């Protein structure tokens, strides 16, 4: 009989429960503790979890045996009981008893484990609820962060993109579609290969070492042929960024420094003390330029990417040590350099990108704040960024970093030797260096507007207590105690010598002069762009870069292709489509021609809108139309493969 008006159940040895039993079991599940009246050796025992009972001696059991109790007359709790006729269905419970000892009399002692199925189901239900709530919390957190950080429009857009991606991925699995995509990819790769190899002319290919070493003159001759393969007119100032040339006299000096220190390696300062001095002095000079406090310090690296990657690793290790953060996150503007994405991938740091204001193109600081969690180790801003040449609001970012007690890295890789001279050169500027409270690290590329040879950059920190987390130290390596400041082990001392030589040769007045020339040229180009009604400049650039988009009726990539056909090599941007020019010293004499060509190109497109189709429009147009960017990444990987095709 069931107490409290519950019905009785039949003792059917069936795994399925009838409706009454089910409803009764459901009620029992909601209770906390249970008892059972179970028959052991023919006698009923009232047992609860972990009870010890003494029963008549059982034949054939040993101490430690586990017995399944399958004759249960009643199952119950504080409020309900389920009474069998005579037994409760065994599908409902699972009761085990362990033989503890054989007593001297005819009795044995057993320990009951009342892990009946009622209990298990109740625990399972609880577990299910907890898991469900956790999953809900996880996805709600992600959705909430997306809406809060990216705004509802971006969140919806991302969601649609995500759906499209899933559908596209599934479709890609269909053999006929995969075959079509493979065929298209194959065509693209062949085109890329033809384009790459056609520029090489009839140069001799070498796939193995020459059996006998060549003479110096023969090698020199080959080098000249290889040099003559350069096809873009970079000397004429037709290439955006890329070549940061400080004049041929400086290049000769860099080559001389290279020759003098060709074998030097700063990993061995005891052998090359001069290299140690030049590296330390180069770091000190740049720290001074960026108004570092007396505690300021830094190291040299191989370039902007390594400086940024090192800063991210530094904050990761520092906050793991200081705050115990094991799932680090960094919050950066969507316009930050790809080096941060690389660092996030290398060091397993979650990267959260925050949109920029659609008018100023500066990062939205309020949204940045919303994206910060207790796992955030750092935020970052640029002065200036690569795509649009815009400086983020570093003061606001500094306040945020201080308030949340996290690192703030300012990427001045591109702003390098322009930003620190803007004020003196009489141009508008914005706070960006160590004078801004909250800035904890800055990267500055000596190999860009510092005019050093490629392969040098400086990463700076406010305190040595931050910098120490950048170091790699191994006290017990078989090869000896090992300590190195950055990714590379051995490093080219010759490049350090060249960097030091460039800084010394240029001096403050030299950089002030180049800043005036470069910013003057950027302004001239910007005015030219602004005078073309179909184009618009992105934000208000203050550095050497200017980016522009086109009105809706014109594809800006067509403008890029028109310029390409006139010998200009400028960079395409995406999201939204735009083109940019990183003005170098070489553009000082070509800016007027550029503006003229730009005006004519736009006019040609107005007259004949379909006349601009070229590779930029085709590559970026196709890329934009593919929801699954892994295809674009496949093409990019094939491109890198091609770079290593001898
Ligand atoms: C703003 C910014 N940061 C970082 C980098 C990365 O520098 P690098 O190419 O020397 O690694 C660049 C390169 O253009 C840049 O423009």
């Amino acid at each position: 009989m069931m107490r409290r008006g519950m019905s009785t159940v039949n003792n059917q040895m069936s795994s399925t429960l009838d409706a009454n039993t089910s409803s009764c079991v459901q009620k029992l599940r909601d209770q906390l503790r249970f008892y059972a009246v179970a028959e052991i050796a023919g006698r009923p025992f009232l047992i609860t979890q972990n009870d010890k009972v003494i029963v008549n001696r059982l034949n054939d059991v040993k101490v430690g045996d586990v017995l399944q109790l399958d004759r249960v007359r009643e199952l119950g709790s504080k409020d309900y009981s389920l009474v069998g006729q005579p037994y409760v269905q065994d599908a409902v419970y699972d009761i085990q008893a362990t033989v503890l000892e054989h007593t001297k009399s005819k009795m044995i002692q057993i320990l009951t484990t009342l892990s009946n199925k009622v209990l298990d189901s109740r625990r399972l239900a609880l577990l299910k609820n907890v898991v469900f709530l956790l999953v809900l919390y996880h996805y709600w957190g992600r959705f909430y962060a997306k809406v809060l950080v990216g705004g509802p429009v971006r969140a919806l857009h991302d969601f649609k993109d995500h759906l499209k991606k899933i559908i596209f991925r599934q479709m890609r699995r269909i053999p006929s579609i995969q075959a079509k995509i493979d065929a298209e990819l194959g065509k693209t790769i062949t085109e890329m290969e033809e384009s790459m190899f056609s520029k090489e002319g009839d140069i001799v290919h070498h796939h193995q070492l020459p059996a006998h070493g060549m003479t110096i003159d023969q090698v020199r001759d080959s080098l000249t042929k290889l040099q003559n393969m350069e096809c873009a007119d970079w000397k004429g100032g037709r290439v955006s960024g890329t070549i940061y040339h400080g004049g041929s006299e400086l290049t000769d000096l860099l080559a001389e420094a290279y020759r003098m220190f060709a074998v030097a390696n700063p990993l061995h300062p005891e052998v090359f003390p001069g290299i140690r001095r030049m590296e330390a002095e180069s770091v000190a000079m740049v720290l001074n330029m960026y108004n570092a406090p007396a505690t300021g310090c830094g190291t040299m690296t191989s370039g902007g990417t390594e400086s940024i990657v090192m800063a991210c690793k530094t904050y990761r290790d520092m906050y793991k040590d200081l705050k115990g953060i094991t799932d680090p996150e960094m919050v950066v503007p969507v316009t930050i350099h790809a080096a941060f994405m690389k660092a996030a991938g290398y060091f397993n740091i979650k990267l959260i990108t925050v949109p920029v204001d659609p008018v100023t193109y500066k990062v939205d600081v309020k949204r940045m704040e919303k994206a910060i969690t207790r796992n955030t180790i750092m935020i970052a801003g640029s002065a200036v960024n690569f795509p649009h040449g815009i400086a983020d609001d570093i003061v606001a970012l500094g306040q945020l970093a201080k308030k949340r007690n996290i690192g703030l890295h300012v990427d001045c890789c591109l702003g390098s030797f322009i930003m620190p001279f803007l004020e003196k050169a009489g141009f508008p500027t914005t706070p960006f260096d160590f004078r801004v409270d909250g800035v904890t690290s800055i990267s500055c590329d000596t190999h860009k507007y510092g005019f050093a040879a490629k392969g040098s950059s400086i990463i700076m920190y406010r305190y040595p207590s931050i910098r120490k987390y950048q170091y790699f130290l191994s006290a017990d390596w078989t090869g000896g105690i090992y300590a190195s400041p950055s990714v590379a082990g051995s490093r080219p001392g010759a490049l350090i010598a060249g960097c030091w030589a460039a800084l010394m040769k240029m001096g403050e007045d030299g950089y002030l002069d180049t800043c005036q020339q470069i910013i003057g040229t950027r302004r001239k180009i910007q005015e030219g762009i602004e005078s073309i009604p179909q184009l618009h400049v992105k934000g208000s650039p203050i550095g050497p870069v200017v980016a522009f988009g086109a009105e809706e009726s014109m594809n800006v990539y067509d403008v890029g292709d028109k310029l390409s056909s006139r010998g200009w090599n400028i960079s395409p941007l995406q999201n939204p489509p735009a083109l940019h020019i990183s003005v170098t010293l070489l553009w000082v004499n070509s800016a007027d021609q550029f503006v003229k060509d730009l005006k004519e190109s736009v006019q040609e497109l107005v007259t004949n809108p379909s006349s601009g189709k070229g590779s930029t429009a085709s590559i970026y147009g196709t890329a934009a139309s593919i929801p699954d960017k892994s295809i674009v990444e496949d093409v990019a990987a094939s491109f890198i493969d091609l770079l290593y095709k001898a």
Side-chain angles (χ1 to χ4, degrees):
M1 289 290 292
M2 282 295 295
R3 283 188 209 136
R4 294 207 166 198
M6 294 181 78
S7 62
T8 54
V9 290
N10 294 324
N11 183 21
Q12 296 164 338
M13 299 304 280
S14 140
S15 58
T16 52
L17 305 178
D18 61 46
N20 284 338
T21 309
S22 290
S23 89
C24 181
V25 165
Q26 194 53 50
K27 285 193 166 98
L28 273 171
R29 270 183 193 150
D30 296 336
Q31 300 281 296
L32 277 176
R33 291 175 57 78
F34 305 92
Y35 71 85
V37 180
E39 268 182 24
I40 309 170
R43 280 182 53 200
F45 287 87
L46 177 70
I47 51 172
T48 59
Q49 176 87 1
N50 287 341
D51 276 353
K52 281 183 189 162
V53 292
I54 297 177
V55 303
N56 285 336
R57 180 172 284 277
L58 296 168
N59 294 328
D60 303 331
V61 298
K62 299 188 298 294
V63 171
D65 279 358
V66 176
L67 314 175
Q68 195 75 34
L69 305 189
D70 54 2
R71 293 191 161 202
V72 173
R73 297 184 183 180
E74 187 176 331
L75 269 178
S77 66
K78 189 163 128 297
D79 297 326
Y80 302 101
S81 61
L82 177 64
V83 182
Q85 280 188 341
Y87 301 116
V88 177
Q89 277 179 271
D90 65 354
V92 169
Y93 61 84
D94 180 12
I95 306 176
Q96 291 177 348
T98 309
V99 178
L100 293 180
E101 67 173 76
H102 286 271
T103 58
K104 284 194 180 120
S105 66
K106 288 182 179 169
M107 315 288 259
I108 60 168
Q109 207 180 52
I110 62 174
L111 179 74
T112 58
T113 4
L114 195 69
S115 60
N116 64 54
K117 284 174 189 164
V118 175
L119 204 63
D120 281 353
S121 307
R122 194 168 159 271
R123 281 202 189 126
L124 202 68
L126 190 72
L127 195 70
K128 272 188 199 160
N129 286 343
V130 170
V131 170
F132 175 72
L133 283 175
L134 281 175
V135 170
L136 197 70
Y137 176 76
H138 173 74
Y139 281 104
W140 171 249
R142 281 174 63 168
F143 176 72
Y144 185 72
K146 274 210 174 285
V147 173
L148 220 68
V149 177
V153 176
R154 188 180 169 200
L156 198 70
H157 188 263
D158 284 357
F159 179 67
K160 275 201 302 199
D161 269 2
H162 186 64
L163 272 187
K164 274 198 231 163
K165 203 163 145 179
I166 292 173
I167 296 168
F168 199 86
R169 283 232 164 120
Q170 294 308 322
M171 282 172 58
R172 221 185 144 174
R173 294 207 171 132
I174 301 169
S176 57
I177 294 183
Q178 182 61 52
K180 242 186 159 170
I181 291 175
D182 284 348
E184 283 304 314
L185 281 181
K187 247 198 276 171
T188 310
I189 293 160
T190 310
E191 275 167 26
M192 285 194 308
E193 187 171 346
E194 278 166 10
S195 153
M196 192 178 281
F197 282 72
S198 69
K199 291 187 181 114
E200 295 190 349
D202 56 358
I203 198 92
V204 181
H205 294 187
H206 303 279
H207 295 119
Q208 60 190 59
L209 286 171
H212 303 288
M214 291 172 154
T215 65
I216 285 186
D217 280 344
Q218 281 171 327
V219 176
R220 215 173 257 142
D221 193 42
S222 297
L223 285 172
T224 307
K225 283 188 185 137
L226 289 159
Q227 187 186 27
N228 289 342
M229 282 161 58
E230 286 169 10
C231 44
D233 179 15
W234 62 265
K235 285 184 189 144
R238 283 175 171 261
V239 178
S240 167
T242 317
I243 304 111
Y244 298 84
H245 196 258
S248 49
E249 208 189 357
L250 184 64
T251 306
D252 287 346
L253 180 65
L254 300 186
E256 209 174 314
Y258 197 100
R259 197 163 38 242
M260 289 169 77
F261 290 93
V263 298
N265 180 358
L267 191 62
H268 301 285
E270 73 289 0
V271 184
F272 304 106
I275 290 293
R276 189 211 69 78
R277 173 134 294 278
M278 285 188 277
E279 182 168 19
E281 288 185 2
S282 299
V283 173
M285 284 188 254
V286 176
L287 279 163
N288 181 268
M289 243 170 64
Y290 275 80
N291 293 294
T295 54
C297 55
T299 75
M300 211 181 225
T301 68
S302 63
T305 300
E306 193 185 355
S307 287
I308 289 166
V309 162
M310 289 290 51
C312 297
K313 173 231 169 321
T314 298
Y315 291 116
R316 184 198 68 162
D317 290 357
M318 183 168 98
Y319 284 112
K320 185 173 179 199
D321 190 26
L322 302 184
K323 291 191 186 172
I325 295 177
T326 50
D327 296 312
E329 296 175 3
M330 62 172 141
V331 182
V332 298
V334 73
T335 47
I336 204 81
H337 193 268
F340 285 84
M341 282 131 221
K342 208 180 229 189
Y346 284 176
F347 300 128
N348 217 3
I349 303 172
K350 183 173 171 192
L351 183 88
I352 298 158
T353 55
V354 176
V356 292
D357 180 279
V359 176
T360 65
Y361 280 77
K362 288 173 194 267
V363 69
D364 185 330
V365 181
K366 280 201 182 111
R367 288 202 168 147
M368 203 155 199
E369 178 161 22
K370 285 178 185 157
I372 294 173
T373 71
R374 62 197 155 82
N375 282 331
T376 306
I377 53 165
M378 65 181 285
I379 55 174
S382 310
V384 294
N385 66 36
F386 174 82
H388 313 118
I390 302 294
D392 291 309
D393 185 347
I394 304 299
V395 173
L397 294 182
Q399 285 163 355
L400 188 53
K402 279 208 95 172
K403 183 172 150 195
R404 303 301 293 260
N405 187 21
I406 50 179
L408 166 57
H409 182 83
V410 184
D411 178 6
C412 290
C413 288
L414 191 55
S416 59
F417 285 67
I418 297 289
M419 290 303 292
F421 293 96
L422 281 179
E423 196 176 346
K424 272 196 195 152
F427 296 115
T429 187
T430 180
F432 63 94
D433 62 18
F434 283 109
R435 286 172 293 182
V436 178
D437 220 14
V439 170
T440 46
S441 58
I442 300 178
S443 47
C444 163
D445 285 359
T446 34
H447 72 190
K448 290 198 174 77
Y449 292 100
F451 307 125
K454 276 282 172 252
S456 84
S457 167
I458 309 284
I459 169 71
M460 297 170 271
Y461 298 98
R462 190 176 278 279
Y463 304 111
S465 55
I466 307 178
R467 180 181 61 177
K468 74 172 188 196
Y469 289 96
Q470 181 183 306
Y471 300 161
F472 176 80
L473 311 166
S474 178
D476 56 0
W477 179 43
T478 326
I481 299 170
Y482 187 90
S484 125
S486 50
V487 172
S490 292
R491 290 182 296 137
L495 292 184
I496 295 172
C499 174
W500 183 87
L503 299 179
M504 299 305 283
K505 167 74 182 70
M506 291 296 297
E508 265 199 32
D509 57 349
Y511 287 122
L512 185 61
D513 177 52
T514 50
C515 172
Q516 261 155 351
Q517 293 191 58
I518 289 165
I519 298 301
T521 305
R522 189 267 295 153
R523 284 179 144 193
K524 188 190 275 185
I525 294 173
Q526 183 174 346
E527 279 160 20
I529 297 166
E530 283 165 348
S531 72
I532 303 171
Q534 290 81 5
L535 304 181
H536 60 267
V537 168
K538 303 281 182 192
S540 302
I542 59 167
V545 175
V546 58
F548 60 94
E551 66 179 20
E552 237 172 71
S553 61
M554 184 170 284
N555 183 343
V556 76
Y557 298 134
D558 285 344
V559 180
D561 284 327
K562 284 266 173 204
L563 288 168
S564 290
S565 64
R566 288 169 180 252
W568 298 96
N569 194 320
I570 64 174
S571 317
L573 310 173
Q574 53 182 348
N575 312 318
L579 300 173
H580 101 174
I581 301 143
S582 209
V583 176
T584 64
L585 213 47
L586 296 161
W587 280 68
V588 171
N589 296 323
S590 62
D592 289 331
Q593 184 61 45
F594 174 76
V595 171
K596 186 169 172 284
D597 281 353
L598 181 62
K599 284 182 179 164
E600 286 174 10
S601 299
V602 170
Q603 201 44 52
E604 281 172 22
L605 285 167
V606 171
T607 319
N608 183 1
S610 60
S611 67
K613 298 283 169 259
S615 62
T616 318
S618 132
I619 292 169
Y620 280 86
T622 313
S625 67
I626 300 175
D628 180 5
K629 296 292 180 243
S630 66
I631 293 196
V632 182
E633 285 167 6
D634 284 351
V635 176
S638 303
F639 177 76
I640 296 180
D641 289 346
L642 276 182
L643 298 182
Y644 292 93
K645 188 160 178 177

